[in-house]
Amino acid sequence: KAAVITGGASGIGAATVARFVAEGCRVTIGDRDVERGEAVAELLGDDVRFVPTDVSIEQDVAELMATAIDDWGDVDIVFNNAGFGGALGPIAQTSVEDFDLTFDVLVKSVFLGMKHIADHMTERGSGSIINTGSIAAIDAGWSPHLYSAAKATVIQLSKTVAMELGDSGVRVNVVCPGAIATPLLVGKPDATDADLDAARTAFAPTVPIGRVGEPADLASMVLFLAGDES
Ligand code: NAD
């Protein structure tokens, strides 16, 4: 199979790229972090391509999907996963610009990622789209206002698109990670191993099994949802 994975330069996305390649899948990474994206692609070899992409820009996402279809012939799986923390702080101090940016990166990106693969998948009569939500989409108190609201929107948009595309054999699912040890949890893209360990320790008590999630845990879940058996 062939997949497009956004946010594949780091964290959950990078772990999913590696797992998919290990399972024999060809993967196109779309990420705005060119240095890290190219490094992941180089490490994993010929089955991975990197396309510099800002997922909040329609032209970028359209080109990402078109490039993947050109390179691999077909695209079976799209993992709309890129994200960031978005606007921080109290509601009274949140600017409209920060609102727009947060929803552009977390919601418009998922809309575009589905919009620009829907025809390709429905024409083939199969496909699996997986979008990244969050525990913050379901429970309040995990994250800032707009991140929570944006991720809740991702869930509902995925449900309505699943209803439209299901008849054509295309599935749409959302994964809602809890605390996962990635740079996003730490709050800096260049988080060190020590930073990640500190986050693991800090968040472990919030998880019933006593440890935070790891990117590889999510990769396993996404792999399951990508496969026909799911
Ligand atoms: P991460 O910071 O390790 O990776 C996010 C990736 O998205 C980075 O490579 C970054 O460059 C990319 N990205 C950000 N904005 C982009 C844009 N506009 N265009 C293209 N690429 C962009 O974080 P992660 O934890 O792996 O996050 C992956 C997804 O998981 C996100 O949607 C995040 O909201 C979600 N999530 C994470 C956690 C957690 O605890 N880590 C929990 C719930 C949900």
Side-chain angles (χ1 to χ4, degrees):
K1 290 185 192 285
V4 172
I5 298 181
T6 71
S10 175
I12 293 167
T16 306
V17 175
R19 182 68 192 274
F20 274 35
V21 170
E23 300 282 340
C25 190
R26 294 153 300 157
V27 180
T28 299
I29 299 172
D31 202 294
R32 68 177 173 187
D33 188 332
V34 175
E35 200 178 317
R36 286 193 176 84
E38 282 179 344
V40 171
E42 199 169 315
L43 189 71
L44 293 171
D46 289 345
D47 284 339
V48 181
R49 306 273 161 83
F50 173 70
V51 179
T53 307
D54 183 330
V55 291
S56 66
I57 297 175
E58 178 159 32
Q59 186 66 24
D60 279 21
V61 177
E63 280 174 22
L64 172 67
M65 299 303 172
T67 304
I69 292 166
D70 264 9
D71 282 347
W72 311 125
D74 279 319
V75 168
D76 305 280
I77 301 147
V78 171
F79 183 27
N80 291 306
N81 163 76
F84 74 148
L88 303 172
I91 196 76
Q93 267 95 61
T94 302
S95 70
V96 170
E97 288 75 15
D98 279 352
F99 176 96
D100 288 343
L101 178 65
T102 304
F103 271 69
D104 281 357
V105 174
L106 295 179
V107 178
K108 194 197 277 178
S109 59
V110 174
F111 155 68
L112 293 173
M114 296 194 288
K115 171 180 170 173
H116 287 287
I117 206 64
D119 285 348
H120 176 74
M121 288 183 168
T122 55
E123 277 158 21
R124 300 175 61 228
S126 71
S128 178
I129 297 171
I130 301 125
N131 300 324
T132 305
S134 171
I135 192 169
I138 301 162
D139 288 337
W142 280 91
S143 71
H145 302 300
L146 299 184
Y147 182 93
S148 281
K151 290 296 192 179
T153 306
V154 168
I155 293 181
Q156 198 64 1
L157 181 62
S158 303
K159 286 182 181 176
T160 65
V161 177
M163 292 188 72
E164 180 197 327
L165 301 185
D167 270 354
S168 309
V170 178
R171 297 176 297 114
V172 184
N173 285 285
V174 184
V175 288
C176 286
I180 311 297
T182 72
L184 185 142
L185 189 65
V186 172
K188 16 180 209 184
D190 53 356
T192 62
D193 286 347
D195 292 331
L196 292 170
D197 274 345
R200 286 183 178 98
T201 304
F203 283 90
T206 68
V207 187
I209 61 169
R211 71 161 177 87
V212 299
E214 296 296 332
D217 296 329
L218 262 295
S220 297
M221 187 67 213
V222 177
L223 180 71
F224 168 70
L225 291 171
D228 297 336
E229 293 84 353
S230 70

